[in-house]
Amino acid sequence: MKNYLTNIFNEYKNKYPELKAWLKDNTVDQVWGMGVMPAYSLEPYSCELQGHSPGRMLAKKESSPAANKQNYSLDVNRHIIGELRYSKFMDRKKEWIVYRKFYLRKDNEIIGLIFGSALESRDDASLNNVILAKLDGDIITSSYFYSYDNNFSEKKYIYKENNIVNIEHYMWLNTYIEHYYNIEIEPTLRITENAPEGIIIIYPEQ
């Protein structure tokens, strides 16, 4: 799987302008989100596993750029296919620094292409990470992550009655690491980790 993600990375690392054009051609609607963390993540509980709450989608369809706002592009099936995150307005250049994500949907998978910062009008952003989500219908069963510095990880999602109850996270960094998470959604969301020293509360942050 790492080789597959490496090939995806190499295929798209120089296609930022083409991806921007593809997104423009395939966007039929948009929604806005707001928050330090994104309002949408391809991987389930991505923000919460870092100890943070995700951002929120705004009820109003029309909005305007601001720091920590995200503009999401929707395709004809109302799937999110792109994210434009506004970071900082450069007074001297009269332009925003932005981060972009593109989501390519295939039969049983979604490819997430995560680019670094660039001025909004520029085409020189670098591809930082690739995320691959494997699907069973509309359910994400596993996800894979590859970064520009050759790090690789895998998450497996275990369901009970259509809800994720456990996440297994395997990481190949400088050393091999495993994490095992428990997900409780009632009465409120609570995530804990089975660690060698015992149960650690991951979310909400203590």
Side-chain angles (χ1 to χ4, degrees):
M1 185 59 71
K2 183 179 180 180
N3 288 338
Y4 180 45
L5 267 69
T6 302
N7 291 337
I8 292 173
F9 185 93
N10 290 330
E11 178 182 356
Y12 287 102
K13 65 182 181 181
N14 296 318
K15 292 187 176 180
Y16 188 67
E18 292 90 335
L19 288 164
K20 287 173 62 177
W22 168 84
L23 188 65
K24 182 178 180 181
D25 290 343
N26 287 276
T27 297
V28 300
D29 203 356
Q30 64 178 7
V31 293
W32 286 83
M34 186 173 185
V36 175
M37 302 299 283
Y40 169 80
S41 295
L42 178 56
E43 297 177 290
Y45 300 115
S46 176
C47 298
E48 292 90 342
L49 289 174
Q50 300 175 61
H52 303 294
S53 296
R56 60 185 177 88
M57 291 295 185
L58 301 181
K60 292 183 178 180
K61 181 179 294 189
E62 299 299 327
S63 190
S64 57
N68 297 322
K69 269 190 177 182
Q70 308 104 40
N71 178 267
Y72 293 100
S73 298
L74 307 179
D75 67 8
V76 66
N77 297 309
R78 299 201 64 78
H79 292 143
I80 291 176
I81 57 173
E83 176 190 299
L84 174 63
R85 176 165 67 88
Y86 291 91
S87 176
K88 181 180 180 180
F89 188 76
M90 303 296 289
D91 289 321
R92 185 170 63 87
K93 293 183 177 294
K94 305 299 181 184
E95 194 169 359
W96 282 92
I97 294 176
V98 300
Y99 293 80
R100 295 180 189 267
K101 301 177 184 178
F102 304 91
Y103 298 107
L104 312 179
R105 290 178 171 265
K106 298 186 178 181
D107 292 339
N108 296 308
E109 62 186 33
I110 305 172
I111 296 170
L113 303 170
I114 318 302
F115 281 83
S117 65
L119 290 171
E120 188 171 5
S121 66
R122 297 287 296 271
D123 290 334
D124 55 354
S126 298
L127 181 58
N128 287 342
N129 309 311
V130 173
I131 298 173
L132 174 69
K134 302 295 286 186
L135 304 176
D136 181 3
D138 292 328
I139 292 177
I140 295 179
T141 57
S142 59
S143 63
Y144 304 86
F145 173 93
Y146 176 81
S147 65
Y148 72 94
D149 54 359
N150 203 39
N151 288 328
F152 174 72
S153 67
E154 172 187 0
K155 292 191 183 104
K156 292 184 178 179
Y157 305 98
I158 295 126
Y159 290 78
K160 182 178 180 181
E161 297 177 353
N162 295 322
N163 293 311
I164 296 173
V165 293
N166 299 102
I167 298 175
E168 300 174 358
H169 192 188
Y170 309 100
M171 307 172 69
W172 290 265
L173 308 176
N174 292 328
T175 185
Y176 176 69
I177 303 171
E178 296 180 353
H179 295 282
Y180 297 93
Y181 301 104
N182 311 297
I183 315 296
E184 303 172 44
I185 60 173
E186 296 294 344
T188 59
L189 179 62
R190 184 173 185 263
I191 300 178
T192 58
E193 180 181 0
N194 300 332
E197 60 270 29
I199 300 296
I200 299 175
I201 298 175
I202 302 298
Y203 183 86
E205 189 176 16
Q206 298 300 295

